[in-house]
PDB file of all heavy atoms in Angstrom:
ATOM      1  N   PRO A   1      -0.196  44.031  27.993  1.00 93.00           N
ATOM      2  CA  PRO A   1       0.300  43.153  29.062  1.00 93.00           C
ATOM      3  C   PRO A   1       1.516  42.356  28.592  1.00 93.00           C
ATOM      4  O   PRO A   1       1.703  42.151  27.391  1.00 93.00           O
ATOM      5  CB  PRO A   1      -0.895  42.217  29.306  1.00 93.00           C
ATOM      6  CG  PRO A   1      -1.569  42.143  27.972  1.00 93.00           C
ATOM      7  CD  PRO A   1      -1.432  43.506  27.375  1.00 93.00           C
ATOM      8  N   ASN A   2       2.318  41.913  29.521  1.00 93.00           N
ATOM      9  CA  ASN A   2       3.518  41.143  29.205  1.00 93.00           C
ATOM     10  C   ASN A   2       3.238  39.667  29.500  1.00 93.00           C
ATOM     11  O   ASN A   2       3.082  39.276  30.655  1.00 93.00           O
ATOM     12  CB  ASN A   2       4.707  41.644  30.033  1.00 93.00           C
ATOM     13  CG  ASN A   2       6.016  41.021  29.580  1.00 93.00           C
ATOM     14  OD1 ASN A   2       6.051  39.970  28.945  1.00 93.00           O
ATOM     15  ND2 ASN A   2       7.118  41.684  29.905  1.00 93.00           N
ATOM     16  N   LEU A   3       3.162  38.858  28.459  1.00 93.00           N
ATOM     17  CA  LEU A   3       2.831  37.435  28.600  1.00 93.00           C
ATOM     18  C   LEU A   3       4.057  36.533  28.620  1.00 93.00           C
ATOM     19  O   LEU A   3       3.928  35.309  28.674  1.00 93.00           O
ATOM     20  CB  LEU A   3       1.927  36.983  27.446  1.00 93.00           C
ATOM     21  CG  LEU A   3       0.606  37.704  27.238  1.00 93.00           C
ATOM     22  CD1 LEU A   3      -0.165  37.036  26.108  1.00 93.00           C
ATOM     23  CD2 LEU A   3      -0.217  37.734  28.508  1.00 93.00           C
ATOM     24  N   MET A   4       5.250  37.124  28.585  1.00 92.00           N
ATOM     25  CA  MET A   4       6.436  36.320  28.334  1.00 92.00           C
ATOM     26  C   MET A   4       6.679  35.237  29.378  1.00 92.00           C
ATOM     27  O   MET A   4       7.260  34.200  29.082  1.00 92.00           O
ATOM     28  CB  MET A   4       7.665  37.219  28.207  1.00 92.00           C
ATOM     29  CG  MET A   4       8.849  36.532  27.555  1.00 92.00           C
ATOM     30  SD  MET A   4      10.152  37.678  27.112  1.00 92.00           S
ATOM     31  CE  MET A   4       9.348  38.651  25.846  1.00 92.00           C
ATOM     32  N   LYS A   5       6.243  35.434  30.582  1.00 90.00           N
ATOM     33  CA  LYS A   5       6.408  34.409  31.617  1.00 90.00           C
ATOM     34  C   LYS A   5       5.674  33.135  31.237  1.00 90.00           C
ATOM     35  O   LYS A   5       6.114  32.027  31.590  1.00 90.00           O
ATOM     36  CB  LYS A   5       5.882  34.933  32.965  1.00 90.00           C
ATOM     37  CG  LYS A   5       5.894  33.902  34.092  1.00 90.00           C
ATOM     38  CD  LYS A   5       5.359  34.478  35.386  1.00 90.00           C
ATOM     39  CE  LYS A   5       3.851  34.677  35.353  1.00 90.00           C
ATOM     40  NZ  LYS A   5       3.099  33.378  35.381  1.00 90.00           N
ATOM     41  N   ASP A   6       4.577  33.287  30.502  1.00 91.00           N
ATOM     42  CA  ASP A   6       3.705  32.160  30.200  1.00 91.00           C
ATOM     43  C   ASP A   6       3.654  31.771  28.730  1.00 91.00           C
ATOM     44  O   ASP A   6       3.174  30.684  28.398  1.00 91.00           O
ATOM     45  CB  ASP A   6       2.272  32.471  30.649  1.00 91.00           C
ATOM     46  CG  ASP A   6       2.180  32.753  32.132  1.00 91.00           C
ATOM     47  OD1 ASP A   6       2.730  31.960  32.909  1.00 91.00           O
ATOM     48  OD2 ASP A   6       1.560  33.771  32.504  1.00 91.00           O
ATOM     49  N   ALA A   7       4.131  32.644  27.833  1.00 95.00           N
ATOM     50  CA  ALA A   7       3.894  32.390  26.413  1.00 95.00           C
ATOM     51  C   ALA A   7       4.954  33.048  25.546  1.00 95.00           C
ATOM     52  O   ALA A   7       5.661  33.965  25.977  1.00 95.00           O
ATOM     53  CB  ALA A   7       2.510  32.904  26.013  1.00 95.00           C
ATOM     54  N   VAL A   8       5.055  32.560  24.308  1.00 97.00           N
ATOM     55  CA  VAL A   8       5.864  33.213  23.280  1.00 97.00           C
ATOM     56  C   VAL A   8       4.904  33.791  22.236  1.00 97.00           C
ATOM     57  O   VAL A   8       3.869  33.192  21.939  1.00 97.00           O
ATOM     58  CB  VAL A   8       6.854  32.234  22.613  1.00 97.00           C
ATOM     59  CG1 VAL A   8       7.946  31.839  23.584  1.00 97.00           C
ATOM     60  CG2 VAL A   8       6.153  30.995  22.074  1.00 97.00           C
ATOM     61  N   THR A   9       5.255  34.940  21.716  1.00 97.00           N
ATOM     62  CA  THR A   9       4.452  35.585  20.679  1.00 97.00           C
ATOM     63  C   THR A   9       5.148  35.360  19.348  1.00 97.00           C
ATOM     64  O   THR A   9       6.366  35.505  19.246  1.00 97.00           O
ATOM     65  CB  THR A   9       4.290  37.079  20.961  1.00 97.00           C
ATOM     66  OG1 THR A   9       3.804  37.257  22.293  1.00 97.00           O
ATOM     67  CG2 THR A   9       3.324  37.721  19.993  1.00 97.00           C
ATOM     68  N   VAL A  10       4.380  34.990  18.312  1.00 97.00           N
ATOM     69  CA  VAL A  10       4.995  34.564  17.060  1.00 97.00           C
ATOM     70  C   VAL A  10       4.596  35.468  15.904  1.00 97.00           C
ATOM     71  O   VAL A  10       3.516  36.054  15.884  1.00 97.00           O
ATOM     72  CB  VAL A  10       4.623  33.103  16.726  1.00 97.00           C
ATOM     73  CG1 VAL A  10       5.134  32.174  17.829  1.00 97.00           C
ATOM     74  CG2 VAL A  10       3.118  32.914  16.537  1.00 97.00           C
ATOM     75  N   SER A  11       5.512  35.573  14.940  1.00 96.00           N
ATOM     76  CA  SER A  11       5.213  36.329  13.725  1.00 96.00           C
ATOM     77  C   SER A  11       4.700  35.416  12.617  1.00 96.00           C
ATOM     78  O   SER A  11       4.027  35.861  11.698  1.00 96.00           O
ATOM     79  CB  SER A  11       6.446  37.090  13.244  1.00 96.00           C
ATOM     80  OG  SER A  11       7.503  36.199  12.947  1.00 96.00           O
ATOM     81  N   TRP A  12       5.058  34.137  12.681  1.00 97.00           N
ATOM     82  CA  TRP A  12       4.453  33.160  11.780  1.00 97.00           C
ATOM     83  C   TRP A  12       4.462  31.779  12.399  1.00 97.00           C
ATOM     84  O   TRP A  12       5.232  31.492  13.314  1.00 97.00           O
ATOM     85  CB  TRP A  12       5.063  33.164  10.390  1.00 97.00           C
ATOM     86  CG  TRP A  12       6.559  33.086  10.239  1.00 97.00           C
ATOM     87  CD1 TRP A  12       7.377  34.090   9.847  1.00 97.00           C
ATOM     88  CD2 TRP A  12       7.408  31.931  10.428  1.00 97.00           C
ATOM     89  NE1 TRP A  12       8.687  33.658   9.770  1.00 97.00           N
ATOM     90  CE2 TRP A  12       8.733  32.333  10.127  1.00 97.00           C
ATOM     91  CE3 TRP A  12       7.195  30.620  10.808  1.00 97.00           C
ATOM     92  CZ2 TRP A  12       9.814  31.460  10.205  1.00 97.00           C
ATOM     93  CZ3 TRP A  12       8.282  29.737  10.900  1.00 97.00           C
ATOM     94  CH2 TRP A  12       9.565  30.170  10.593  1.00 97.00           C
ATOM     95  N   LEU A  13       3.570  30.909  11.864  1.00 97.00           N
ATOM     96  CA  LEU A  13       3.389  29.556  12.389  1.00 97.00           C
ATOM     97  C   LEU A  13       2.999  28.633  11.232  1.00 97.00           C
ATOM     98  O   LEU A  13       2.015  28.867  10.544  1.00 97.00           O
ATOM     99  CB  LEU A  13       2.305  29.546  13.463  1.00 97.00           C
ATOM    100  CG  LEU A  13       2.008  28.268  14.247  1.00 97.00           C
ATOM    101  CD1 LEU A  13       1.319  28.604  15.565  1.00 97.00           C
ATOM    102  CD2 LEU A  13       1.116  27.298  13.462  1.00 97.00           C
ATOM    103  N   TYR A  14       3.791  27.587  11.020  1.00 97.00           N
ATOM    104  CA  TYR A  14       3.540  26.594   9.972  1.00 97.00           C
ATOM    105  C   TYR A  14       3.583  25.197  10.584  1.00 97.00           C
ATOM    106  O   TYR A  14       4.456  24.896  11.408  1.00 97.00           O
ATOM    107  CB  TYR A  14       4.601  26.683   8.872  1.00 97.00           C
ATOM    108  CG  TYR A  14       4.520  27.928   8.026  1.00 97.00           C
ATOM    109  CD1 TYR A  14       4.985  29.145   8.490  1.00 97.00           C
ATOM    110  CD2 TYR A  14       3.982  27.882   6.742  1.00 97.00           C
ATOM    111  CE1 TYR A  14       4.934  30.288   7.718  1.00 97.00           C
ATOM    112  CE2 TYR A  14       3.916  29.021   5.948  1.00 97.00           C
ATOM    113  CZ  TYR A  14       4.390  30.220   6.449  1.00 97.00           C
ATOM    114  OH  TYR A  14       4.325  31.351   5.667  1.00 97.00           O
ATOM    115  N   LEU A  15       2.659  24.327  10.145  1.00 97.00           N
ATOM    116  CA  LEU A  15       2.587  22.959  10.647  1.00 97.00           C
ATOM    117  C   LEU A  15       3.142  21.953   9.646  1.00 97.00           C
ATOM    118  O   LEU A  15       2.983  22.125   8.434  1.00 97.00           O
ATOM    119  CB  LEU A  15       1.136  22.566  10.949  1.00 97.00           C
ATOM    120  CG  LEU A  15       0.655  22.680  12.391  1.00 97.00           C
ATOM    121  CD1 LEU A  15       0.565  24.142  12.784  1.00 97.00           C
ATOM    122  CD2 LEU A  15      -0.692  22.002  12.548  1.00 97.00           C
ATOM    123  N   ILE A  16       3.772  20.894  10.177  1.00 97.00           N
ATOM    124  CA  ILE A  16       4.100  19.736   9.361  1.00 97.00           C
ATOM    125  C   ILE A  16       2.807  18.948   9.184  1.00 97.00           C
ATOM    126  O   ILE A  16       2.211  18.498  10.161  1.00 97.00           O
ATOM    127  CB  ILE A  16       5.171  18.870  10.038  1.00 97.00           C
ATOM    128  CG1 ILE A  16       6.475  19.664  10.182  1.00 97.00           C
ATOM    129  CG2 ILE A  16       5.414  17.584   9.248  1.00 97.00           C
ATOM    130  CD1 ILE A  16       7.561  18.937  10.953  1.00 97.00           C
ATOM    131  N   PRO A  17       2.320  18.787   7.952  1.00 96.00           N
ATOM    132  CA  PRO A  17       1.003  18.165   7.748  1.00 96.00           C
ATOM    133  C   PRO A  17       1.051  16.647   7.946  1.00 96.00           C
ATOM    134  O   PRO A  17       2.109  16.014   7.833  1.00 96.00           O
ATOM    135  CB  PRO A  17       0.672  18.520   6.300  1.00 96.00           C
ATOM    136  CG  PRO A  17       2.009  18.661   5.646  1.00 96.00           C
ATOM    137  CD  PRO A  17       2.936  19.227   6.686  1.00 96.00           C
ATOM    138  N   GLY A  18      -0.119  16.071   8.235  1.00 93.00           N
ATOM    139  CA  GLY A  18      -0.226  14.627   8.374  1.00 93.00           C
ATOM    140  C   GLY A  18      -1.397  14.236   9.240  1.00 93.00           C
ATOM    141  O   GLY A  18      -2.096  15.094   9.803  1.00 93.00           O
ATOM    142  N   ASN A  19      -1.607  12.933   9.379  1.00 91.00           N
ATOM    143  CA  ASN A  19      -2.740  12.432  10.150  1.00 91.00           C
ATOM    144  C   ASN A  19      -2.344  11.948  11.539  1.00 91.00           C
ATOM    145  O   ASN A  19      -3.154  11.343  12.235  1.00 91.00           O
ATOM    146  CB  ASN A  19      -3.447  11.305   9.388  1.00 91.00           C
ATOM    147  CG  ASN A  19      -2.533  10.105   9.148  1.00 91.00           C
ATOM    148  OD1 ASN A  19      -1.467  10.002   9.742  1.00 91.00           O
ATOM    149  ND2 ASN A  19      -2.950   9.204   8.274  1.00 91.00           N
ATOM    150  N   GLY A  20      -1.119  12.186  11.933  1.00 88.00           N
ATOM    151  CA  GLY A  20      -0.635  11.747  13.234  1.00 88.00           C
ATOM    152  C   GLY A  20       0.419  10.672  13.157  1.00 88.00           C
ATOM    153  O   GLY A  20       1.253  10.534  14.053  1.00 88.00           O
ATOM    154  N   THR A  21       0.408   9.904  12.068  1.00 91.00           N
ATOM    155  CA  THR A  21       1.423   8.872  11.860  1.00 91.00           C
ATOM    156  C   THR A  21       1.983   8.941  10.441  1.00 91.00           C
ATOM    157  O   THR A  21       2.490   7.955   9.914  1.00 91.00           O
ATOM    158  CB  THR A  21       0.837   7.468  12.117  1.00 91.00           C
ATOM    159  OG1 THR A  21      -0.293   7.270  11.255  1.00 91.00           O
ATOM    160  CG2 THR A  21       0.421   7.303  13.565  1.00 91.00           C
ATOM    161  N   SER A  22       1.883  10.117   9.818  1.00 94.00           N
ATOM    162  CA  SER A  22       2.309  10.278   8.426  1.00 94.00           C
ATOM    163  C   SER A  22       3.807  10.549   8.289  1.00 94.00           C
ATOM    164  O   SER A  22       4.380  10.275   7.228  1.00 94.00           O
ATOM    165  CB  SER A  22       1.543  11.429   7.766  1.00 94.00           C
ATOM    166  OG  SER A  22       0.162  11.232   7.822  1.00 94.00           O
ATOM    167  N   VAL A  23       4.423  11.089   9.340  1.00 96.00           N
ATOM    168  CA  VAL A  23       5.827  11.488   9.242  1.00 96.00           C
ATOM    169  C   VAL A  23       6.630  10.825  10.363  1.00 96.00           C
ATOM    170  O   VAL A  23       6.970  11.456  11.367  1.00 96.00           O
ATOM    171  CB  VAL A  23       5.981  13.026   9.305  1.00 96.00           C
ATOM    172  CG1 VAL A  23       7.418  13.435   8.984  1.00 96.00           C
ATOM    173  CG2 VAL A  23       5.022  13.708   8.330  1.00 96.00           C
ATOM    174  N   PRO A  24       6.931   9.534  10.220  1.00 95.00           N
ATOM    175  CA  PRO A  24       7.738   8.866  11.247  1.00 95.00           C
ATOM    176  C   PRO A  24       9.201   9.296  11.154  1.00 95.00           C
ATOM    177  O   PRO A  24       9.766   9.373  10.062  1.00 95.00           O
ATOM    178  CB  PRO A  24       7.569   7.382  10.905  1.00 95.00           C
ATOM    179  CG  PRO A  24       7.308   7.362   9.434  1.00 95.00           C
ATOM    180  CD  PRO A  24       6.537   8.622   9.134  1.00 95.00           C
TER     181      PRO A  24
END
């Protein structure tokens, strides 16, 4: 199925770590 109207498909995903207020 083609999801492009609703979503992007990714080859990788990395998060900036923290507790919500760690990186102002």
Side-chain angles (χ1 to χ4, degrees):
N2 189 339
L3 302 184
M4 197 168 294
K5 175 180 73 71
D6 301 311
V8 290
T9 308
V10 299
S11 60
W12 50 252
L13 185 158
Y14 290 77
L15 263 69
I16 297 175
N19 62 13
T21 57
S22 303
V23 189

